[in-house]
Amino acid sequence: MMHYILALDQGTTSSRAILFDANGAMADSAQQEYAQHFPQPGWVEHNGRDIWASQLEVAKTLIQRCPSPSSIAAIAITNQRETTLLWDRKTGQPLGPAIVWQDRRTADQCATMRAQGLTELIQTKTGLVLDAYFSGTKLAWLLDNIDGARSRAERGELAFGTVDSWLVWNLTAGASHITDVSNASRTLLFNLHTLEWDDELLTLFNIPRAVLPTIVPSAGQLAQSSPSVLGHAIPITAMIGDQQAATFGQGCFKPGMAKNTYGTGCFMLLNTGSEPVASRHHLLSTVGWQRASSPSGGLHTTYCLEASVFMGGATVQWLRDGLNIIQTAAEVEALALSVPDVGDTYLVPAFTGLGAPHWDGHARGTLIGMTRGTTKAHIARAALEAIALQVADVFEAMQKDAGLNLSELRVDGGASKNNLLLQMQANILGVPVIRPKIVETTALGAAYLGGLAAGLWSSTDAISALWQEDQRFEPQWSDTESAVKRARWRQAIERAKSWSQD
Ligand code: ADP
């Protein structure tokens, strides 16, 4: 009998379920969008009930459509990270909204804490930057702004969780309150070195220990779904944050292997092995995953360096919606190909400032180098090059931080369909860029982890053998050509820096 892994991929705008077979192929999938709430500028909320209802529905759909539900060996969970929920342990009902990772409501609190000189302590302990993006200050906000929440939390009546915890709590009908190390490592409350909640951090962020979930590995016999919820008791054998899952799904099992996801923004993660690397270039150091390499073996933790580029595919959205020079994102490729090069035109898409490795919140978008001969095709081409150049900056920072030379880059995400973009990327990096057959790497990575723990696959080598390349882009530029391009880009970046006065 064929065995399956049911991957639950709880994303920022939709909940998805994908059934993977023992060959790592997609057998079935279902997806449901749910509501986004923007109650004030800078605030982004979900309703915890919507997250659960949409995820439950797609999971049930696949179980019902599966000819033999008993062939589902395990459930593997991957999720939007950092999004913060608080709920009542007795009723299981959320208190207040789920505060989404994009939400900036605690930016001032973070600025105050930075002004108190806490940046370095927090970076050393957590591998993160002290920013509103992470869960710590979001949880404190819920405790301080919901009537009675703080005292109830101190009495042990409330539970905090990121989305992985929330899903497992509901899948187990309240029996398990757990989170995996990869999700815990995004809270600012977790010590990257001891792999535990950290008392000093809990005090700094004013979080009572009684609300916290138990930390578990990313893979193993973590919990079991309640028959009252899914109709079946199915082991839950993986929990992992979405970007870490994608890294696993790209088969980046060895130190020095990296993936980049070209979505709205770009997310690059590099496997740095069994020790966290302290970044000197404002990158994040995070847990990749923790698992036992054999059922009886000890646990092994893999760490990653992580960096994001704010404007990835969103640069193409701007061409479409801001400039109206294309009707669909896919049209950008043909338009850019209609000219042989950018004609020395550079677009720095610093619309919301620049992230790693520049970190300039006051940088703004710049289009420079235009002449009377410049057309929309040049601008489209410059936009794609800008995505590749930003990724190259992050790639270089990672290599420096890790002291490694990367020999290839594996890619996925919506904009990785664009062959011209990937060819540009290979040319600029000087290493091959590889797109896999299955670009649903997030769900796939969770399924791989869960399937390993459930015994569907024997080792990561068995998975590497399943992992299939769709297309490989070899660098076609000389070192000089890419050096000139990058030097020009650096000049353009300098022009974009410190522009805004607010
Ligand atoms: P997310 O998961 O962040 O919502 P996706 O992985 O779905 O993003 O990718 C969507 C992004 O990819 C959009 O910003 C879109 O502009 C961009 N995109 C989609 N197709 C192409 C294409 N062919 N060329 C360049 N960009 C594209």
Side-chain angles (χ1 to χ4, degrees), residues 13 261-265 312-317 320 329-333 384 387 412-418 421:
T13 57
T261 300
Y262 298 83
T264 308
T315 315
V316 175
Q317 284 170 8
R320 188 191 62 191
E331 284 175 24
V332 71
E333 188 166 0
L384 292 181
I387 300 173
D412 53 54
S416 74
K417 289 189 290 255
N418 190 314
L421 170 63

Coordinates of all heavy atoms in Angstrom, one line a residue, residues 13 261-265 312-317 320 329-333 384 387 412-418 421, ligand 1:
T13 N -1.8 34.3 3.9 CA -3.0 34.6 3.2 C -3.9 33.4 3.0 O -5.1 33.6 2.8 CB -2.8 35.3 1.9 OG1 -2.0 34.5 1.1 CG2 -2.1 36.7 2.1
T261 N 14.0 32.1 -1.8 CA 12.6 32.1 -2.3 C 12.3 33.5 -2.8 O 12.5 34.5 -2.1 CB 11.7 31.8 -1.1 OG1 12.1 30.5 -0.6 CG2 10.2 31.8 -1.5
Y262 N 11.9 33.5 -4.1 CA 11.5 34.8 -4.7 C 10.0 34.9 -4.6 O 9.3 34.5 -5.5 CB 11.9 34.8 -6.2 CG 13.4 34.7 -6.5 CD1 14.0 33.5 -6.5 CD2 14.2 35.8 -6.7 CE1 15.4 33.3 -6.7 CE2 15.5 35.7 -6.9 CZ 16.1 34.5 -7.0 OH 17.5 34.4 -7.2
G263 N 9.5 35.5 -3.5 CA 8.1 35.8 -3.4 C 7.9 37.3 -3.5 O 8.6 38.0 -4.2
T264 N 7.0 37.8 -2.7 CA 6.8 39.2 -2.6 C 8.1 39.9 -2.2 O 8.6 40.8 -2.8 CB 5.7 39.5 -1.5 OG1 4.6 38.7 -1.8 CG2 5.4 41.0 -1.4
G265 N 8.7 39.3 -1.1 CA 10.1 39.6 -0.8 C 10.9 38.4 -1.1 O 10.3 37.4 -1.6
G312 N 11.1 42.0 -3.5 CA 11.5 40.9 -4.5 C 10.5 41.0 -5.7 O 10.5 42.0 -6.5
G313 N 9.6 40.0 -5.7 CA 8.5 40.0 -6.7 C 7.7 41.3 -6.7 O 7.0 41.7 -7.6
A314 N 7.7 41.9 -5.5 CA 6.9 43.1 -5.3 C 7.4 44.2 -6.3 O 6.6 45.2 -6.6 CB 6.9 43.6 -3.9
T315 N 8.7 44.2 -6.7 CA 9.2 45.1 -7.6 C 8.4 45.0 -9.0 O 8.1 46.0 -9.6 CB 10.7 44.9 -7.9 OG1 11.3 44.7 -6.6 CG2 11.3 46.1 -8.6
V316 N 8.1 43.7 -9.3 CA 7.4 43.5 -10.5 C 5.9 43.9 -10.4 O 5.3 44.5 -11.3 CB 7.5 42.0 -10.9 CG1 6.6 41.6 -12.1 CG2 9.0 41.6 -11.2
Q317 N 5.4 43.7 -9.2 CA 4.0 44.3 -8.9 C 4.0 45.8 -9.1 O 3.0 46.3 -9.6 CB 3.6 44.0 -7.5 CG 3.2 42.5 -7.2 CD 3.0 42.2 -5.8 OE1 3.0 43.1 -4.9 NE2 2.8 40.9 -5.5
R320 N 3.7 46.6 -12.6 CA 2.3 46.4 -13.1 C 1.3 47.4 -12.5 O 0.6 48.0 -13.3 CB 1.9 44.9 -12.6 CG 0.6 44.4 -13.1 CD 0.2 43.2 -12.4 NE -0.1 43.5 -11.0 CZ -0.2 42.5 -10.0 NH1 -0.2 41.3 -10.3 NH2 -0.4 42.9 -8.8
A329 N 2.3 39.9 -14.1 CA 3.7 39.8 -13.6 C 4.5 39.0 -14.7 O 5.6 39.3 -14.9 CB 3.7 39.1 -12.3
A330 N 3.8 38.0 -15.3 CA 4.6 37.1 -16.2 C 5.1 37.9 -17.4 O 6.1 37.5 -18.1 CB 3.7 36.0 -16.6
E331 N 4.4 39.0 -17.8 CA 4.7 39.8 -19.0 C 6.1 40.4 -18.9 O 6.7 40.9 -19.9 CB 3.7 40.8 -19.3 CG 2.4 40.3 -19.9 CD 1.4 41.4 -20.0 OE1 1.8 42.6 -20.1 OE2 0.2 41.1 -20.1
V332 N 6.6 40.6 -17.7 CA 7.8 41.3 -17.5 C 9.0 40.7 -18.2 O 9.9 41.3 -18.7 CB 8.1 41.5 -15.9 CG1 8.5 40.2 -15.3 CG2 9.2 42.5 -15.7
E333 N 8.9 39.3 -18.3 CA 10.0 38.6 -18.9 C 10.2 39.0 -20.4 O 11.3 39.3 -20.9 CB 9.9 37.1 -18.7 CG 11.1 36.3 -19.2 CD 11.1 34.9 -18.7 OE1 10.1 34.5 -18.1 OE2 12.1 34.2 -19.0
L384 N 14.2 43.6 -12.9 CA 14.6 42.2 -12.7 C 16.0 42.1 -12.2 O 16.4 41.3 -11.3 CB 14.4 41.3 -14.0 CG 13.0 41.1 -14.4 CD1 13.0 40.3 -15.7 CD2 12.1 40.4 -13.4
I387 N 16.3 42.8 -8.6 CA 16.0 41.7 -7.7 C 17.2 40.8 -7.5 O 17.7 40.5 -6.4 CB 14.8 40.8 -8.2 CG1 13.5 41.7 -8.3 CG2 14.5 39.6 -7.3 CD1 12.4 41.0 -9.0
D412 N 13.2 29.0 -5.4 CA 11.7 28.7 -5.6 C 11.0 30.0 -5.4 O 11.5 31.1 -5.4 CB 11.3 27.6 -4.5 CG 11.7 28.0 -3.1 OD1 11.4 29.1 -2.7 OD2 12.4 27.3 -2.4
G413 N 9.6 29.9 -5.3 CA 8.8 31.1 -5.1 C 8.2 31.5 -6.5 O 8.7 31.1 -7.5
G414 N 7.2 32.3 -6.4 CA 6.4 32.8 -7.6 C 7.3 33.3 -8.7 O 7.1 33.0 -9.9
A415 N 8.2 34.2 -8.3 CA 9.0 34.8 -9.4 C 10.1 33.9 -9.9 O 10.8 34.3 -10.9 CB 9.6 36.2 -8.9
S416 N 10.3 32.8 -9.3 CA 11.4 31.8 -9.8 C 10.9 31.2 -11.1 O 11.7 30.4 -11.8 CB 11.8 30.8 -8.8 OG 10.7 29.8 -8.6
K417 N 9.7 31.4 -11.5 CA 9.2 30.9 -12.8 C 9.9 31.7 -14.0 O 9.9 31.3 -15.1 CB 7.7 31.2 -13.0 CG 6.8 30.3 -12.2 CD 5.4 30.4 -12.5 CE 4.8 31.7 -12.1 NZ 3.9 31.8 -11.0
N418 N 10.5 32.9 -13.6 CA 11.0 33.8 -14.6 C 12.5 33.4 -14.9 O 13.4 33.6 -14.2 CB 11.0 35.2 -14.0 CG 11.4 36.3 -15.0 OD1 12.3 36.1 -15.8 ND2 10.6 37.3 -15.0
L421 N 15.2 36.1 -15.1 CA 15.6 36.5 -13.7 C 16.7 35.5 -13.2 O 17.7 35.9 -12.7 CB 14.4 36.6 -12.8 CG 14.7 36.7 -11.3 CD1 15.4 38.1 -11.0 CD2 13.4 36.6 -10.4
Ligands
ADP1 P1 4.1 35.2 -1.8 O1 4.2 33.8 -1.3 O2 5.0 36.2 -1.1 O3 2.7 35.7 -1.8 P2 4.6 34.1 -4.4 O4 5.7 33.1 -4.2 O5 3.3 33.7 -4.7 O6 4.6 35.2 -3.3 O7 5.2 35.0 -5.6 C1 4.4 36.2 -6.0 C2 5.4 37.3 -6.5 O8 6.1 36.8 -7.7 C3 4.6 38.5 -6.9 O9 5.3 39.6 -6.3 C4 4.7 38.6 -8.4 O10 4.9 40.0 -8.8 C5 6.0 37.8 -8.7 N1 5.9 37.1 -10.0 C6 5.0 36.2 -10.3 N2 5.3 35.7 -11.6 C7 6.4 36.4 -12.0 C8 7.2 36.3 -13.2 N3 6.9 35.5 -14.2 N4 8.3 37.1 -13.2 C9 8.6 37.9 -12.2 N5 7.9 38.0 -11.1 C10 6.8 37.2 -10.9

